[in-house]
Amino acid sequence: MIYLDNSSTTRKKPFCVLNAVLKATWHSANPTRSSHTPSLNAALKVYNTREHLKSFFNAPKSANVVFTYNCTEAINTVIFGTAKKGGNVVITAFEHNATFRPLNKLIKTHNITITIVNPNSLGEITSDDILNKINDKTYLVIVNQTSNVTGSTVKLNNLGHKLKQKNIMLMVDTAQSAGHEKIDMQSIGANFLCIAGHKGLFATQGIGALILNDANVEPLKFGGSGSNSLLTTMPEYYPEKLEAGTINTIGISALDAGVGYVEKHLDKINSKVEKLSNILINYLKQNKNITLYSSNPHSGVISFKFNNLDNNEVCNTLNEKYKICVRPGLHCAPLIHKFLKTEKTGLIRVSISYFNNFCEIKKLIKALNKIEKNHN
């Protein structure tokens, strides 16, 4: 099997991640809930991982690293936890439904408005494009740093610092960029980073993080926090304020190992992903029967469509006949598909990981050629 759906979930994990998961299952205990040795050991692992993510993303302090079920939960926590009645939220056309759907809920419950920043003729969005869309009611800007459809990456520069001057918060969805981009929270001036563990950071599914910087968020969930059990509300300090219930220590261990792997091999990872992506992009550019919608090989996300074939059928044939896994459809990102006018046809998305190789890309190209030839 050739797996090329890594922007959904990276299938192959580094050995260090597998080893971390195994060790975590051997030594499973509930952190911060007891004073016995297994619980203390689990708490230490969780603390060390917070410190690791603090360093990796340059967060202000480890207590501001909050573990979530996934990136979607992190995004929802920010959107609902900062909601302002009658306010305005500026988003990009790259946004995932993890952002778009909760905002549409706030349109009904909080009478907010949404302003959408579309890409330019090159398929790119700049910081200036975003700044030009804010108004006197804007309280939050949300940027999906790398599109999970086109792979285009927004150059954030110091966007957050400029927004802060206008008393506007910045949330960055790093689901597709973490593991491919060097993300410095302080340099960007982001108030919130939303992290997916199971994609470019090579962790397991079911783990994400919300990292906060100079911003307040109300809880999305309520429950036990391991401290101040007599309180009828959640504690007012992080991370306990936003971490209700038992946290995923196995996933946290996997995330710690995955971040360590990326930290050590980032340049190597990106160099290989870029080389493999360029091979596929160059082939797609030269095929007159294909429309290509991606131009950023650094992201590893490449979307295209056949002009005379059904994209779902192509993907089904790739899976059933050639054992190649890619993803058709709208990829939970309707805004960018509406902008590209592909909401009816969808696109075929290939997403490349460091653990893919040259032969696999060549086999994909060969299979696409055969499918096209057989159709004609």
Side-chain angles (χ1 to χ4, degrees):
M1 177 185 288
I2 298 173
Y3 185 84
L4 291 166
D5 191 21
N6 292 285
S7 56
S8 289
T9 292
T10 46
R11 186 166 186 262
K12 188 170 182 180
K13 311 294 185 182
F15 177 78
C16 62
V17 171
L18 303 178
N19 191 42
V21 169
L22 187 59
K23 283 184 176 179
T25 57
W26 284 346
H27 303 291
S28 185
N30 210 337
T32 74
R33 298 306 199 267
S34 302
S35 59
H36 55 66
T37 301
S39 176
L40 294 175
N41 287 340
L44 181 60
K45 181 62 182 177
V46 170
Y47 172 77
N48 287 339
T49 306
R50 289 193 212 278
E51 283 284 310
H52 197 176
L53 266 65
K54 167 190 171 291
S55 173
F56 187 71
F57 292 104
N58 194 19
K61 54 185 177 179
S62 61
N64 285 23
V65 177
V66 176
F67 292 114
T68 60
Y69 175 66
N70 49 31
C71 193
T72 296
E73 185 183 354
I75 290 168
N76 274 254
T77 300
V78 173
I79 289 173
F80 289 113
T82 63
K84 185 176 179 181
K85 286 189 176 181
N88 169 259
V89 179
V90 174
I91 65 174
T92 74
F94 295 154
E95 303 311 314
H96 190 276
N97 272 334
T99 291
F100 194 48
R101 286 177 173 172
L103 286 175
N104 275 282
K105 176 70 174 177
L106 287 185
I107 290 174
K108 297 175 183 177
T109 61
H110 284 64
N111 197 32
I112 71 159
T113 59
I114 302 172
T115 303
I116 300 168
V117 184
N118 285 321
N120 59 25
S121 59
L122 299 174
E124 299 172 343
I125 294 174
T126 68
S127 294
D128 287 340
D129 294 331
I130 294 166
L131 290 167
N132 288 336
K133 290 289 187 177
I134 64 175
N135 60 49
D136 58 359
K137 290 189 177 180
T138 305
Y139 68 91
L140 178 65
V141 169
I142 299 176
V143 180
N144 184 353
Q145 189 175 13
T146 296
S147 168
N148 72 320
V149 176
T150 67
S152 181
T153 297
V154 180
K155 292 180 175 63
L156 294 167
N157 302 321
N158 61 348
L159 175 62
H161 298 295
K162 292 179 180 178
L163 291 171
K164 189 175 182 179
Q165 294 171 6
K166 302 176 184 293
N167 202 30
I168 298 171
M169 296 176 290
L170 172 64
M171 185 196 91
V172 182
D173 175 358
T174 73
Q176 297 299 333
S177 56
H180 296 278
E181 300 291 327
K182 290 182 179 178
I183 302 170
D184 186 323
M185 189 177 200
Q186 305 290 341
S187 177
I188 296 167
N191 298 98
F192 313 101
L193 293 184
C194 298
I195 314 296
H198 63 109
K199 301 177 188 284
L201 297 177
F202 297 112
T204 52
Q205 293 169 324
I207 188 63
L210 168 61
I211 306 180
L212 303 101
N213 176 27
D214 192 25
N216 182 54
V217 182
E218 292 304 309
L220 182 68
K221 300 187 300 181
F222 298 82
S225 61
S227 62
N228 294 330
S229 294
L230 291 175
L231 282 176
T232 56
T233 59
M234 293 301 290
E236 283 300 317
Y237 47 84
Y238 302 119
E240 285 90 340
K241 182 178 180 179
L242 302 179
E243 285 183 353
T246 301
I247 57 178
N248 180 3
T249 52
I250 294 174
I252 289 168
S253 296
L255 181 57
D256 184 39
V259 168
Y261 186 84
V262 170
E263 202 168 30
K264 186 177 179 181
H265 300 290
L266 183 62
D267 291 340
K268 205 168 155 185
I269 289 169
N270 285 328
S271 175
K272 185 177 180 184
V273 167
E274 198 162 322
K275 284 177 183 176
L276 295 178
S277 296
N278 273 324
I279 293 168
L280 181 58
I281 287 171
N282 289 335
Y283 158 75
L284 295 170
K285 277 182 180 177
Q286 293 169 15
N287 191 320
K288 295 178 181 179
N289 295 319
I290 287 174
T291 303
L292 175 65
Y293 293 86
S294 301
S295 59
N296 176 22
H298 188 75
S299 69
V301 177
I302 303 161
S303 290
F304 62 96
K305 71 180 178 70
F306 279 93
N307 301 326
N308 57 348
L309 296 176
D310 182 275
N311 296 308
N312 286 310
E313 288 182 12
V314 171
C315 292
N316 288 338
T317 302
L318 283 172
N319 178 51
E320 293 166 9
K321 188 171 182 180
Y322 299 99
K323 307 301 180 188
I324 298 174
C325 307
V326 298
R327 183 176 168 184
L330 302 183
H331 313 99
C332 302
L335 293 175
I336 190 62
H337 279 281
K338 287 177 182 177
F339 175 79
L340 297 172
K341 296 181 172 54
T342 56
E343 68 269 31
K344 291 182 179 179
T345 62
L347 293 174
I348 299 168
R349 185 184 70 189
V350 175
S351 43
I352 297 169
S353 164
Y354 175 66
F355 292 107
N356 289 121
N357 59 53
F358 175 81
C359 290
E360 290 176 330
I361 303 303
K362 285 296 185 183
K363 286 180 181 178
L364 170 64
I365 291 171
K366 190 175 180 180
L368 291 172
N369 282 332
K370 284 185 178 179
I371 291 169
E372 186 180 6
K373 184 178 178 182
N374 291 338
H375 179 265
N376 295 331

